Amino acid sequence: VSHLGKCALHGSPKVKSLVALSLKYLCAEQKHRRFLVSGGGIRTLLGLVDLEEEVARDAARQTLAQVCIVTNPSAFSYSEQLDTVRPLVNLLDHRHELLQFEAAMALTNLLTVSDELRTRAIQAEAWNGCKELLFSENDMLQRAGIEALCNLCMAPEILERFADGRAELEIKVFIGFCGSEDIATRIASSGALAMLASCEEVAIKITESSHFDTFLTVLAETDESDVLHRL
């Protein structure tokens, strides 16, 4: 990994593309991804996420996402944590659902780090990018999007948006997903509402939603402790 890093640092655009593809194949098996982190591969990947060649650029961004999914973010330096946000958010708009899914999963893990990192993600339009995933027909993509949004709800900027009444659609969406057939989606959406409701102004907005009856129905009918605890 360290040798590939040197090639990426000093090589031509073609060499950089080959390094991106090499790192992608190296990380195809999950057990190998820790070697990329310990060998300084995160910084190498960050230097490859804006390559002009689309295949190589996608390879670098996807590999970065795959590593972030399975790695404790504390294994990254703080600058690496912050610099990883933008390419992951960019990947949310990709035409391939697998890359969108992996980007959302990676962001979900990364967003647990700090308010500063969540602010960086919000500034990069992560909120809108993840929200768009909720309208996919792919259930796994919906779940990944709702889980990332749940972690973004910890950000003061998001609480302020809800408190100011600028997120009526999001309240309806979170309530709607509380009735999802997928348990992980129900837990994430109810968790988002729980965090938002910790702010009195937002709690009032939730009760004023036209979908609040749906919320009460879910609360009355669910017997899952994880969901009940959050609701």
Side-chain angles (χ1 to χ4, degrees):
V1 173
S2 60
H3 289 305
L4 286 172
K6 292 177 182 177
C7 291
L9 186 63
H10 302 292
S12 66
K14 184 62 177 178
V15 169
K16 293 177 189 292
S17 295
L18 290 172
V19 170
L21 294 171
S22 297
L23 291 175
K24 176 184 176 179
Y25 296 134
L26 175 64
C27 292
E29 289 193 39
Q30 182 173 321
K31 63 183 180 180
H32 293 157
R33 295 172 192 172
R34 60 189 177 91
F35 297 115
L36 189 142
V37 177
S38 62
I42 296 300
R43 182 50 61 187
T44 299
L45 283 172
L46 289 170
L48 301 172
V49 294
D50 293 316
L51 290 173
E52 289 188 14
E53 186 181 343
E54 182 181 10
V55 173
R57 182 174 68 245
D58 285 351
R61 293 180 179 182
Q62 183 180 20
T63 305
L64 187 63
Q66 290 174 339
V67 173
C68 286
I69 291 171
V70 300
T71 306
N72 187 326
S74 64
F76 302 170
S77 70
Y78 197 56
S79 64
E80 288 173 346
Q81 292 170 357
L82 293 175
D83 291 344
T84 297
V85 170
R86 180 188 58 79
L88 292 181
V89 173
N90 289 342
L91 205 55
L92 293 173
D93 292 328
H94 203 279
R95 63 185 179 277
H96 291 303
E97 289 186 341
L98 175 60
L99 272 65
Q100 291 178 306
F101 173 77
E102 290 175 333
M105 291 289 289
L107 275 173
T108 298
N109 192 24
L110 202 59
L111 289 169
T112 61
V113 171
S114 67
D115 279 338
E116 184 179 355
L117 192 142
R118 287 186 283 273
T119 295
R120 177 72 66 92
I122 292 166
Q123 291 172 343
E125 296 295 326
W127 182 266
N128 290 332
C130 291
K131 187 170 68 175
E132 286 298 314
L133 301 183
L134 306 186
F135 301 99
S136 168
E137 296 181 0
N138 185 318
D139 292 342
M140 293 182 65
L141 202 52
Q142 288 180 345
R143 179 203 300 173
I146 205 83
E147 288 177 340
L149 288 174
C150 179
N151 283 356
L152 278 171
C153 284
M154 293 186 278
E157 299 96 322
I158 297 301
L159 272 176
E160 183 179 348
R161 182 181 303 182
F162 277 81
D164 290 346
R166 292 180 284 129
E168 293 181 10
L169 174 62
E170 283 87 342
I171 290 176
K172 293 177 182 179
V173 168
F174 284 143
I175 291 176
F177 276 105
C178 285
S180 169
E181 294 182 0
D182 178 69
I183 179 61
T185 300
R186 291 198 297 274
I187 290 173
S189 53
S190 58
L193 288 171
M195 279 188 283
L196 292 166
S198 64
C199 173
E200 183 177 352
E201 293 91 338
V202 182
I204 293 172
K205 299 291 184 185
I206 293 172
T207 62
E208 292 174 345
S209 170
S210 60
H211 282 42
F212 191 62
D213 286 346
T214 303
F215 176 88
L216 295 176
T217 300
V218 172
L219 182 60
E221 293 180 352
T222 187
D223 58 357
E224 293 153 353
S225 58
D226 287 337
V227 176
L228 279 171
H229 173 70
R230 289 163 173 80
L231 295 178

